[in-house]
Amino acid sequence: MRAVVVYCHPDPASFTAAVRDLVIRHLQEAGATVRVHDLYAAGFVPSLTQSEWQGYLESPANRAPVAEAADDLQWCDTLIFVYPTWWYGLPAMLKGWLDRVMLPDVAFLMPDGVNKTIRPGLTQITRLGVFTTCGASRWLTFFVGAPGKRTLLRGVRMLCAKRCRTTFAAHYLMDSSTPASRKAHLARVRRKLARLIGPVPQRAQVQA
């Protein structure tokens, strides 16, 4: 298993970081090779520049500014996003990562003389996971339309393998969370991961 974890949070001591650590540990214990993209720690610049926009369709030159992330995206078979939900959607840093890294001939194929619409470019990805926190309630998030969840589990999912498996877990009402609610959410993330990629071997659990 080849896994990429895209992590987005400005505070290294956040609860989202604890979710990230759990995800990485579970993947490693399940035997996966894991590559982590910590967007804030890496100083990722989310804004698509004028030159990048003008060269957006010039493949493979278009991937030069984000070569490592683009290469990892094409390398992995498991893609996991860990982030806080802000204003019901993706943080600007993560949205910018999608803008700059999900490029033509990396994440999708552009229309041509035969095909009138874009086609998936990440068909090697068979597992997609999304783990987030939300200040709003579940009801309010879904009333607004949960745009962040839909972007990843519908938009990105459409670029992956036809039978790509997905999982999602959110801690709602994060601003009024308690130690008990956070502990319960970590257990939920662990269960979701086990269903997505399989349980951790008993030997690894004992050693952990």
Side-chain angles (χ1 to χ4, degrees), residues 5 19 24 41 50 57 66 74 105 115 124 136 141 144 156 167 170 177 188-189 199:
V5 176
V19 175
I24 293 170
Q50 180 182 11
L57 301 178
V66 290
Q74 293 190 312
D105 292 338
N115 303 280
Q124 87 286 353
T141 301
V144 172
V156 173
T167 196
S177 69
R188 186 182 309 117
V189 170

Side-chain angles (χ1 to χ4, degrees), residues 62-85:
N62 58 354
R63 69 171 64 196
V66 290
E68 181 179 0
D71 289 347
D72 284 353
L73 193 58
Q74 293 190 312
W75 164 84
C76 71
D77 57 35
T78 301
L79 180 60
I80 308 287
F81 293 94
V82 183
Y83 64 96
T85 293

Side-chain angles (χ1 to χ4, degrees), residues 6-163:
V6 182
Y7 168 71
C8 180
H9 199 289
D11 185 355
S14 69
F15 177 67
T16 303
V19 175
R20 173 205 60 198
D21 292 345
L22 186 154
V23 168
I24 293 170
R25 184 167 62 251
H26 190 103
L27 287 166
Q28 291 174 335
E29 291 174 350
T33 300
V34 183
R35 298 179 182 177
V36 180
H37 287 257
D38 184 335
L39 304 189
Y40 276 95
F44 182 79
V45 178
S47 300
L48 188 72
T49 66
Q50 180 182 11
S51 62
E52 286 177 307
W53 169 246
Q54 290 173 339
Y56 191 72
L57 301 178
E58 297 176 6
S59 174
N62 58 354
R63 69 171 64 196
V66 290
E68 181 179 0
D71 289 347
D72 284 353
L73 193 58
Q74 293 190 312
W75 164 84
C76 71
D77 57 35
T78 301
L79 180 60
I80 308 287
F81 293 94
V82 183
Y83 64 96
T85 293
W86 292 340
W87 278 101
Y88 310 102
L90 306 178
M93 182 76 82
L94 181 52
K95 176 57 170 61
W97 189 89
L98 297 180
D99 290 344
R100 297 187 64 210
V101 178
M102 293 278 184
L103 291 164
D105 292 338
V106 174
F108 60 92
L109 306 177
M110 291 294 290
D112 54 26
V114 176
N115 303 280
K116 294 184 179 181
T117 187
I118 65 171
R119 289 152 290 146
L122 298 174
T123 54
Q124 87 286 353
I125 295 179
T126 57
R127 290 172 291 267
L128 177 65
V130 175
F131 300 105
T132 189
T133 58
C134 302
S137 67
R138 180 191 298 269
W139 177 87
L140 184 56
T141 301
F142 279 82
F143 175 77
V144 172
K149 177 182 178 182
R150 291 166 61 186
T151 294
L152 298 177
L153 290 187
R154 294 187 185 183
V156 173
R157 165 65 180 78
M158 290 179 65
L159 305 178
C160 300
K162 284 186 178 181
R163 296 184 179 181

